[in-house]
C-alpha cells in the first residue's frame, strides 16, 4: 500500500511538473529537445542527496552530450541546470500545489524523463553516472544521435 501511494505521488509530481511553469521553465518545452533528470529531496543535508549531486556535478560535459537538463527540488525550492547553456540556469520557490505533493513519503528520488517526456527511470537511491549513461545510451534515439555524430567525423 505504501508503494502504491509513493507511485501515485510520483505520478502526480511528474504530471504537475509537466503542466506548470517553474519560473518560466515549462517542462513541456523540453520535449524532443532535452532529456530531464529530476532530483527531489526533503533534506538537502542527507548523505544520499549530497552523493547524487556530486555524481552528476562531476559529469556536466557528459550530461550535455546526452542533451540532459536537470531540475533539483530541495524542499520548497527548485533549481534548473542546463550544462550546455548555463545562461538558462535559474531557481525559485515552488508553488502551493507542488509543495503539497513534495511532502510525500519519499525523502529522496531521482527521475529520468526521455525526449518524449515519458518516465524512463524513477528510484529512491543514488543513480550513478555510469548507470544513467548506460540507460540513455541504450535508447534508440540516443543510438541514432551517436551514429550521426560518428558520421560527422
Amino acid at each position: 500500500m505504501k508503494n502504491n501511494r509513493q507511485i501515485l505521488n510520483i505520478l502526480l509530481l511528474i504530471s504537475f511538473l509537466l503542466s506548470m511553469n517553474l519560473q518560466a521553465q515549462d517542462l513541456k518545452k523540453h520535449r524532443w529537445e532535452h532529456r530531464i533528470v529530476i532530483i527531489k529531496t526533503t533534506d538537502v543535508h542527507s548523505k544520499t542527496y549530497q552523493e547524487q549531486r556530486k555524481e552528476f556535478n562531476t559529469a556536466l560535459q557528459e550530461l550535455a552530450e546526452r542533451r540532459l537538463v536537470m531540475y533539483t527540488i530541495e524542499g520548497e525550492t527548485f533549481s534548473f541546470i542546463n550544462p550546455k547553456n548555463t545562461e538558462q540556469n535559474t531557481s525559485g520557490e515552488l508553488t502551493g500545489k507542488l509543495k503539497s505533493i513534495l511532502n510525500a513519503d519519499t525523502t529522496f528520488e531521482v527521475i529520468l524523463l526521455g525526449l518524449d517526456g515519458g518516465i524512463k527511470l524513477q528510484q529512491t537511491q543514488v543513480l550513478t553516472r555510469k548507470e544513467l549513461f548506460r540507460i540513455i545510451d541504450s535508447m534508440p534515439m540516443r543510438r541514432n544521435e551517436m551514429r550521426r555524430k560518428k558520421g560527422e567525423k
Side-chain angles (χ1 to χ4, degrees):
M1 179 142 168
K2 186 176 181 180
N3 242 1
N4 288 342
R5 185 173 176 204
Q6 288 175 334
I7 291 169
L8 178 61
N9 285 334
I10 291 164
L11 293 174
L12 288 171
L13 168 66
I14 296 300
S15 106
F16 188 74
L17 283 173
L18 289 172
S19 66
M20 69 174 284
N21 282 337
L22 296 175
Q23 296 279 15
Q25 292 298 326
D26 183 359
L27 291 185
K28 285 182 182 179
K29 81 178 191 177
H30 294 296
R31 188 171 285 165
W32 307 116
E33 291 289 324
H34 301 109
R35 294 170 181 95
I36 302 171
V37 172
I38 300 170
I39 305 169
K40 178 200 91 156
T41 188
T42 57
D43 179 6
V44 295
H45 302 292
S46 77
K47 182 179 177 186
T48 306
Y49 178 67
Q50 294 302 319
E51 285 179 33
Q52 186 65 74
R53 291 290 305 263
K54 183 178 179 184
E55 188 72 26
F56 290 164
N57 286 342
T58 58
L60 294 178
Q61 181 177 348
E62 292 93 342
L63 293 171
E65 285 173 16
R66 288 166 177 84
R67 298 169 52 189
L68 272 160
V69 294
M70 193 170 11
Y71 283 88
T72 56
I73 300 172
E74 301 173 342
E76 297 184 12
T77 63
F78 78 92
S79 295
F80 171 74
I81 301 157
N82 184 341
K84 196 168 190 167
N85 186 354
T86 57
E87 291 179 9
Q88 293 180 352
N89 294 358
T90 188
S91 61
E93 294 292 317
L94 297 174
T95 60
K97 187 172 184 181
L98 187 54
K99 285 182 195 178
S100 66
I101 294 169
L102 293 176
N103 289 333
D105 295 334
T106 58
T107 58
F108 173 82
E109 181 148 42
V110 180
I111 302 163
L112 171 63
L113 303 177
L115 290 174
D116 62 358
I119 298 172
K120 307 303 179 189
L121 172 96
Q122 58 189 57
Q123 65 184 46
T124 57
Q125 62 268 10
V126 172
L127 175 61
T128 65
R129 294 183 304 261
K130 184 177 179 180
E131 179 65 9
L132 174 66
F133 299 154
R134 185 195 65 73
I135 292 166
I136 292 171
D137 291 348
S138 70
M139 295 175 178
M141 291 183 80
R142 173 64 180 155
R143 288 195 307 253
N144 287 338
E145 290 170 5
M146 292 187 295
R147 276 194 290 271
R148 279 194 310 270
K149 188 174 182 175
K150 194 175 188 179
E152 291 172 4
K153 291 184 178 182

